[in-house]
Amino acid sequence: AQSVTQLGSHVSVSEGALVLLRCNYSSSVPPYLFWYVQYPNQGLQLLLKYTSAATLVKGINGFEAEFKKSETSFHLTKPSAHMSDAAEYFCAVSDKAGNNRKLIWGLGTSLAVNP
Amino acid sequence: NAGVTQTPKFRVLKTGQSMTLLCAQDMNHEYMYWYRQDPGMGLRLIHYSVGEGTTAKGEVPDGYNVSRLKKQNFLLGLESAAPSQTSVYFCASSYGASGGSTDTQYFGPGTRLTVL
């Protein structure tokens, strides 16, 4: 069964430093992939998604993610962290293959940005 | 265009009480979902609906019931609340099936439920 793993439940960076949040999927058939962000006391919103059109995907607020089939990864990056980036980030997978009507969610990574 | 709204935002129940959470969307989406979010456990799907009049079980359906009488509304019911149901509940909707597609899920702001 398809699964998604987010390495590191908590990541802490300094303001201005590189942000790297890791996501790996398990399927042998590359799925569709999503990153969602949840700001404190809010619902989730889409940050970006991989739809097979391009391996480097740009999202909102300066985030981007690169799909690497050989590594079964879809890591999220931002060159320079801002205090407002502090949030929970979720990676999710949509399996192309079957009748599954649902997204498969990672457990989330909490990003803290230190001044 | 309000997107996805949830009512109420907060609720405290005593064990054994019942309540209904209301989710409404104004985007004419076919698919709607109820999730619960607990620390360290990410998002877990409770029930979902693929269209008006339909419902289906997710990962953690026990203790919950749902109804989708109107396309824009998706109700989540707790018949006899238990402390284990203390959680934050999120409703989401999408135009098409999230599985096997690139459709985005749109989330409501959440309902924080405490069961004493």
Side-chain angles (χ1 to χ4, degrees), chain A residues 32 34 36 38 41-46 49-51 88 90 94-98 100-103 105-108, chain B residues 31 33 35 37 40-43 45 48 50 57-58 90 97-109 112:
Chain A
Y32 300 119
F34 305 77
Y36 282 79
Q38 183 183 27
N41 299 313
Q42 295 186 26
L44 283 73
Q45 63 183 92
L46 182 71
K49 58 184 173 181
Y50 169 70
T51 63
E88 187 92 18
F90 291 92
S94 170
D95 197 340
K96 289 180 189 176
N100 192 344
R101 305 286 182 91
K102 308 176 287 289
L103 287 181
W105 294 89
L107 295 183
Chain B
Y31 288 74
Y33 311 83
Y35 293 96
Q37 185 179 33
M41 305 190 76
L43 286 174
L45 184 65
Y48 65 101
V50 302
K57 293 180 180 180
F90 287 100
S98 289
S101 84
T102 59
D103 280 357
T104 299
Q105 286 193 13
Y106 295 85
F107 283 79
R112 189 173 296 273

Side-chain angles (χ1 to χ4, degrees), chain A residues 20 33 35 47-59 62-69 73-79:
Chain A
L20 171 61
L33 294 145
W35 276 101
L47 202 52
L48 50 81
K49 58 184 173 181
Y50 169 70
T51 63
S52 307
T55 56
L56 183 62
V57 182
K58 294 188 184 299
F63 283 92
E64 62 182 35
E66 186 172 8
F67 171 73
K68 291 187 177 180
K69 182 178 177 180
S73 69
F74 190 56
H75 301 331
L76 182 71
T77 60
K78 182 174 180 178

